Amino acid sequence: MTFVRERATKPHASGGEAPRPAAPWWSAASIYQIYLRSFADGNGDGTGDLAGCRSHLSYLAELGVDAVWLNPWYLSPLADGGYDVADYRQIDPQFGSLADAEALIADAHALGIRVILDVVPNHCSDQHPWFLEALSVPPGAPERERFYFRPGRGDAGELPPSDWQSQFGGPAWTRTTNVDGTPGDWYLHLFAPEQPDLNWGNPDVRAEFESVLRFWFDRGADGFRIDSAALVAKDPALADLGPGEAAKGPGQHPYLDRDEVHETYRSWRRIADDYPDRRLLIGEVWLEDADRFALYLRDDELHSAFNFDFLCCPFEAQALHRVIDGTLSAHARLSATPTWVLGNHDVVRPVTRYGRARTEFKMSERRIGDPSDIALGTRRARAAALLAFSLPGTVYIYQGEELGLWEVEDLPEDLLQDPLWARSKKTDRGRDGCRVPLPWSGQKPPFGFTGDGASPWLPQPEGWRELTADVQRSEPGSMLELYRSALSLRGRLSSLRARDFAWVPSPEGTLCYRRGGDIVV
């Protein structure tokens, strides 16, 4: 892939339009995702933490990113990597303290880096005070109305209340035990049993999350990534999915993308807009229907949503052309900011994915163990990064992509922690392979991630010795240097930050386009 800077011989397509209002800071931002457990360990216990993250903020400033997004750092039993939150106002002790979090935000801001946090509205931890309280009271008590408790079906209530299945495999219902030891009601969990779903029809739930947003906005957070954003609203009747799921009509699925969900995000947008500087709300919205997806981006709801069509797209020119066209046209109708994403903490790393015969990604089909040509995957990942960086909108970088890390597919089974492994009856090795701690320096594990003699929470492959940040800093043409130079161009050239985009005719199997009046890619 090549950037070509041309002399500007033509005015921008927008030359005759009225002046546009100042674009929000995220309209052309480069945002780096930090999976805190695996970024850097500051206290030598083998787990990444806030102290380690603060010590490497200068690395991110040199890389050229505008913001960081941190996966959950809140108090949690870590049944699902922190997405089972027990208290949003406490930092989990293995990561540090609330004072450490506030210091990280301040340090990042001093370097010109904004900070985006994760929020998980669909569920909480089974160790959350609300859920523990719900288990301690009898069926029908108001404390249970914050969740979905229901009697079972069958003669003795021995069957789940509905046919819903967990995203991690198996039934989405777990039966409780009453205080007297007898079998009790069932509770809903669309993910692991340790993650009971919250009832957004309950005013306590709405008020609590609005308070949480303000709590972190008041401490300097610049935005939130909203986990599983389309799953929050539920059919009050919790009706069976049954065989006619598709016939229920748009917005009428029992728990996915229901029309009621939008009022939640309108209320959150009002909170974000209350702050004098612009705060970002970005949704994790997995939907195939482009029109339904667009509803989340109306001007009184979310500012942005992740582009999973682009992430999942095969490395094929025609398919990429189609996805880019669809993305740009859908967002243009709403004056919303497109996003470009190659990976995250839930998907197989691009270097491995692009080295396979089938380069698309499906959440339900990880194909762990399929042969991957890492050299080929690396070349393609370099091209895909430049493609993403040169498109109009926000680009997200998952930690380690800038180093060209591959998916670690041979982790020992006894070390796998993703609940997908157990819930799938050990048929899906889960997402741990893209969460292995980063290699910073040295010739052998732990590669500077943690102190000498300490073992990282997941083991790193010996082959990463050639991919450490220290090695790549001084290696011309390395993946790290490619990312740095491309992000520098993206920051310096106004045409790459503008919305202007036009395809240029090119040979079959290639992509060619113009940005602004002076750049051809």
Side-chain angles (χ1 to χ4, degrees):
M1 176 173 287
T2 306
F3 286 107
V4 179
R5 183 74 184 266
E6 299 180 331
R7 292 185 178 180
T9 56
K10 298 178 181 179
H12 286 258
S14 59
E17 296 178 0
R20 292 171 175 166
W25 64 263
W26 56 81
S27 64
S30 305
I31 301 177
Y32 186 96
Q33 180 189 350
I34 294 176
Y35 193 75
L36 195 56
R37 289 176 90 184
S38 299
F39 187 68
D41 174 19
N43 65 5
D45 66 357
T47 297
D49 50 35
L50 289 165
C53 186
R54 289 177 66 192
S55 71
H56 287 285
L57 285 175
S58 59
Y59 166 85
L60 298 176
E62 292 168 7
L63 184 61
V65 301
D66 302 295
V68 294
W69 151 37
L70 292 105
N71 292 97
W73 56 13
Y74 317 107
L75 184 67
S76 170
L78 296 177
D80 181 25
Y83 283 90
D84 47 319
V85 179
D87 189 335
Y88 274 102
R89 296 173 183 81
Q90 291 189 54
I91 301 298
D92 197 275
Q94 71 171 318
F95 298 141
S97 65
L98 180 58
D100 293 327
E102 292 172 333
L104 183 144
I105 293 172
D107 289 353
H109 286 174
L111 292 170
I113 298 173
R114 289 180 166 89
V115 179
I116 299 166
L117 305 181
D118 227 312
V119 66
V120 190
N122 182 70
H123 50 264
C124 64
S125 167
D126 64 350
Q127 299 304 303
H128 191 287
W130 279 2
F131 193 70
L132 295 176
E133 186 179 25
L135 293 179
S136 71
V137 296
E143 292 83 358
R144 292 199 167 196
E145 294 304 314
R146 297 162 175 160
F147 303 93
Y148 292 99
F149 284 90
R150 295 291 186 275
R153 297 191 286 200
D155 293 339
E158 72 279 8
L159 300 176
S162 77
D163 63 0
W164 297 8
Q165 295 294 297
S166 162
Q167 304 287 310
F168 290 158
W173 295 92
T174 290
R175 196 170 193 184
T176 64
T177 300
N178 292 323
V179 176
D180 63 4
T182 59
D185 284 347
W186 298 67
Y187 68 89
L188 176 68
H189 53 86
L190 287 181
F191 292 88
E194 296 87 352
Q195 296 167 289
D197 277 40
L198 291 158
N199 175 11
W200 276 82
N202 184 278
D204 290 352
V205 174
R206 294 180 176 275
E208 170 65 4
F209 274 87
E210 291 178 2
S211 174
V212 165
L213 295 185
R214 291 190 177 95
F215 179 89
W216 286 106
F217 280 151
D218 289 345
R219 281 157 181 78
D222 297 284
F224 282 94
R225 175 262 190 188
I226 304 165
D227 181 73
S228 301
L231 297 179
V232 170
K234 310 291 193 300
D235 171 16
L238 305 178
D240 279 348
L241 282 169
E245 179 177 348
K248 297 183 185 301
Q252 298 303 308
H253 188 284
Y255 61 78
L256 174 63
D257 182 41
R258 290 183 63 80
D259 289 335
E260 306 95 286
V261 76
H262 295 286
E263 181 48 43
T264 294
Y265 300 131
R266 291 188 189 100
S267 72
W268 287 19
R269 177 63 177 268
R270 290 191 290 270
I271 292 170
D273 289 347
D274 277 346
Y275 287 79
D277 49 345
R278 289 175 165 176
R279 309 294 173 101
L280 170 65
L281 297 176
I282 178 167
E284 183 197 26
V285 183
W286 290 85
L287 291 177
E288 294 182 2
D289 187 323
D291 291 331
R292 296 294 302 180
F293 178 88
L295 295 178
Y296 291 80
L297 302 177
R298 289 176 288 192
D299 60 9
D300 63 345
E301 293 193 38
L302 306 182
H303 301 94
S304 189
F306 289 114
N307 187 348
F308 292 117
D309 287 345
F310 185 74
L311 183 153
C312 297
C313 186
F315 192 82
E316 299 168 4
Q318 186 176 6
L320 287 164
H321 192 294
R322 183 172 61 252
V323 167
I324 293 168
D325 262 353
T327 297
L328 293 178
S329 63
H331 285 74
R333 292 197 300 271
L334 298 156
S335 298
T337 300
T339 65
W340 311 101
V341 188
L342 295 177
N344 62 34
H345 63 292
D346 287 332
V347 306
V348 176
R349 284 193 174 275
V351 164
T352 297
R353 200 165 74 237
Y354 291 146
R356 290 188 169 137
R358 290 169 53 198
T359 54
E360 76 278 10
F361 175 76
K362 295 181 180 179
M363 186 67 79
S364 61
E365 188 182 342
R366 289 171 215 283
R367 303 200 302 275
I368 297 296
D370 280 12
S372 180
D373 181 337
I374 297 300
L376 173 63
T378 299
R379 293 197 300 273
R380 288 172 167 173
R382 290 170 68 92
L386 292 183
L387 172 64
F389 293 172
S390 61
L391 293 171
T394 309
V395 65
Y396 283 81
I397 302 161
Y398 177 51
Q399 65 179 41
E401 285 176 14
E402 80 281 10
L403 301 177
L405 301 186
W406 61 77
E407 186 88 359
V408 183
E409 300 185 284
D410 58 355
L411 291 168
E413 291 185 358
D414 62 336
L415 296 180
L416 295 177
Q417 299 191 28
D418 190 340
L420 275 168
W421 173 238
R423 296 281 292 179
S424 68
K425 299 181 180 178
K426 300 186 176 181
T427 60
D428 185 337
R429 290 177 63 87
R431 302 159 292 178
D432 290 325
C434 66
R435 301 175 178 183
V436 174
L438 295 188
W440 290 100
S441 60
Q443 290 296 301
K444 60 182 181 180
F447 295 123
F449 167 76
T450 188
D452 290 339
S455 297
W457 72 280
L458 287 174
Q460 303 148 307
E462 296 276 354
W464 279 4
R465 65 171 58 89
E466 303 300 325
L467 300 178
T468 67
D470 272 4
V471 165
Q472 295 198 50
R473 274 193 182 100
S474 56
E475 183 181 308
S478 69
M479 186 74 87
L480 179 58
E481 289 307 308
L482 176 80
Y483 268 64
R484 280 182 173 174
S485 58
L487 289 173
S488 176
L489 281 174
R490 181 179 165 89
R492 294 198 322 267
L493 303 181
S494 59
S495 290
L496 290 178
R497 298 194 304 275
R499 288 186 287 183
D500 307 76
F501 177 94
W503 291 109
V504 175
S506 64
E508 184 177 355
T510 68
L511 299 174
C512 187
Y513 44 94
R514 184 181 298 277
R515 297 297 319 281
D518 60 345
I519 292 179
V520 171
V521 184

